[in-house]
Amino acid sequence: MKQSIKKLFTRFSLMSLFFLPSFVAAQFVVEEERETPSKFAMQGLDTLNTTIGAINIFLGLLFIISLIGLVVAGIRFIIAGGSEDMLNSARTISLASIMGAIFSLIGYILVNSIKHFII
């Protein structure tokens, strides 16, 4: 049984080394020559890039604020001392902060993936 597994592994390794250059060569694609965009199209792309940059800055600030909220919630958990009111406020702050971080990451992914489809 071990002999057949070793033979199978050896054959698979040799075949993969034999076909590896063809797999690597398949990755290179020659790009087609594109037309130069007009002045109007360039202005539209500049506006789009500026807007996407502003949205990314806003989402980055939202993410940083949510991380600060998580730190504040952690401090409130530590200093709560068994007080139900402080524990509940720390839970709500941590929940809102986690939701803010998730929404900002999802927004960043969506904006940049749409950007790559448009441009």
Side-chain angles (χ1 to χ4, degrees):
M1 182 72 177
K2 278 189 171 184
Q3 295 279 337
S4 62
I5 292 175
K6 285 183 182 181
K7 285 181 183 179
L8 185 65
F9 180 73
T10 306
R11 289 179 185 164
F12 179 74
S13 299
L14 289 174
M15 286 178 56
S16 64
L17 286 176
F18 178 71
F19 288 112
L20 185 64
S22 63
F23 292 146
V24 172
Q27 293 180 2
F28 297 107
V29 177
V30 177
E31 289 191 24
E32 298 177 11
E33 193 172 316
R34 296 183 182 180
E35 296 180 21
T36 57
S38 66
K39 185 177 180 182
F40 181 72
M42 290 302 293
Q43 288 175 348
L45 285 176
D46 288 342
T47 305
L48 182 66
N49 283 333
T50 304
T51 306
I52 289 174
I55 291 172
N56 282 337
I57 289 172
F58 172 74
L59 290 172
L61 289 174
L62 180 66
F63 186 75
I64 290 171
I65 290 170
S66 64
L67 289 181
I68 291 171
L70 278 175
V71 170
V72 168
I75 291 172
R76 283 188 162 224
F77 271 123
I78 291 171
I79 64 171
S83 172
E84 277 299 315
D85 293 334
M86 289 195 64
L87 283 175
N88 286 335
S89 68
R91 284 185 192 120
T92 56
I93 291 172
S94 64
L95 181 65
S97 298
I98 290 171
M99 286 175 48
I102 290 171
F103 287 147
S104 65
L105 288 174
I106 289 172
Y108 182 80
I109 291 169
L110 284 176
V111 166
N112 287 316
S113 63
I114 291 172
K115 173 187 167 185
H116 288 294
F117 282 119
I118 291 175
I119 296 178

